[in-house]
Structure formats: structure tokens, C-alpha cells
């Protein structure tokens, strides 16, 4: 069930997206809510920060984690002005955010030249046929680190 409070949080994400456009950023905003309160809100700053990972959702996740002192955002909800791209969706899942509300959808984004479908298509292709070559190298040496992690008694799992 969608509540008036959900609508208010989405309006804040949209406000942040509009503010981003005015500042020269991309037209995307997001807020993360826990226990009925906004704990973080941000917008897209890819062109402002020269950082291709500085999407609204990622920026907001980073801010929420700093403020809450955790990498686990279970129990939080993200409101984002647009359906998350594959990178942001992955970050949302890694952060264990419990619910996602979005405004614009993928097609709306593609209509203004923000098309993510090529990434979804690439993920379905075998590694050897992807546009950007993905080449295995030094697996045996890299596995040593994984074994060390696996054997570490005092690791902080995530």
C-alpha cells in the first residue's frame, strides 16, 4: 500500500533531481528513509564530480551508511526519481535496502538519452562475446587472498 508519506518522500527525491539539473548534474535524485525519517538524500553528480559512479542512489547509499555507521541498510526504503540502473540496483541489493520506490521508468530515461538496456543485454552475453573484453588472469595467485579471507577467524562478514 502506498501512503501519503511515501508520496512525500518521492516528492523529496524529485525535488533533489530538479535541484541537480539546476546545478548542472543529471536529472536524478534519491532519499533513504528509516523508521519514517529521511536519513540521507542526494542527487546525481556524475558530471559535477567527474565520477561515473556518482548516481543519485549510490551517493545516497554512501551518505546513509556514513550517517548510520553501517554498511547494512536493512529496514530502509529508497525513493528514487527514476528506476535504478543496473549499477544502482546492484548497490541497493548490496546495501540490503528493503524496498524501492521509483518515479520515472527505464523507457522514460531512454527517451532523454539515458539508456541502460545495453548493460542488461551485456550481462546476458557469454564473457567471451561481450563488448568490453573480460579476460581471466592469475586466478591461482588471486585465490590465495580468498583462502586467507576464508581462514581468517576475526573477519567482519558482509
Amino acid at each position: 500500500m502506498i501512503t501519503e508519506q511515501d508520496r512525500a518522500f518521492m516528492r523529496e527525491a524529485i525535488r533533489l533531481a530538479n535541484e541537480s539539473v539546476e546545478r548542472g548534474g543529471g536529472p536524478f535524485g534519491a532519499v533513504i528513509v528509516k523508521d519514517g525519517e529521511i536519513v540521507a538524500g542526494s542527487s546525481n553528480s556524475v558530471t559535477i564530480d567527474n565520477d561515473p559512479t556518482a548516481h543519485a542512489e549510490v551517493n545516497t547509499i554512501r551518505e546513509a551508511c556514513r550517517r548510520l555507521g553501517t554498511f547494512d541498510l536493512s529496514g530502509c526504503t529508497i525513493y528514487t526519481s527514476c528506476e535504478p540502473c543496473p549499477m544502482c540496483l546492484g548497490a541497493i541489493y548490496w546495501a540490503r535496502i528493503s524496498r524501492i520506490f521509483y518515479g520515472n521508468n527505464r523507457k522514460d530515461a531512454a527517451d532523454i538519452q539515458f539508456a541502460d538496456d545495453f548493460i542488461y543485454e551485456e550481462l546476458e552475453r557469454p564473457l567471451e562475446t561481450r563488448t568490453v573484453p573480460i579476460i581471466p588472469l592469475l586466478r591461482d595467485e588471486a585465490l590465495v587472498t580468498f583462502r586467507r579471507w576464508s581462514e581468517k577467524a576475526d573477519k567482519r562478514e558482509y
Side-chain angles (χ1 to χ4, degrees), residues 85-87 116-127 130-131 134:
C85 75
M87 177 184 70
D116 302 322
D117 286 341
F118 78 96
I119 299 173
Y120 289 106
E121 292 167 7
E122 280 288 296
L123 291 172
E124 293 179 9
R125 296 174 73 177
L127 293 179
R130 291 191 182 169
T131 305
I134 301 177

Side-chain angles (χ1 to χ4, degrees), residues 44-120:
N44 178 292
S45 61
V46 169
T47 57
I48 294 167
D49 296 336
N50 291 318
D51 179 353
T53 69
H55 290 202
E57 298 90 338
V58 172
N59 288 343
T60 305
I61 288 168
R62 289 173 179 159
E63 182 183 339
C65 289
R66 273 192 303 274
R67 287 189 175 169
L68 296 174
T70 183
F71 55 81
D72 184 344
L73 299 178
S74 297
C76 291
T77 300
I78 189 166
Y79 297 81
T80 179
S81 65
C82 187
E83 182 178 354
C85 75
M87 177 184 70
C88 293
L89 188 59
I92 288 165
Y93 275 88
W94 275 113
R96 297 185 182 100
I97 292 173
S98 299
R99 290 191 313 164
I100 305 165
F101 287 92
Y102 67 92
N104 296 310
N105 63 36
R106 273 194 253 178
K107 183 185 178 326
D108 299 327
D111 288 347
I112 62 164
Q113 313 311 309
F114 287 96
D116 302 322
D117 286 341
F118 78 96
I119 299 173
Y120 289 106

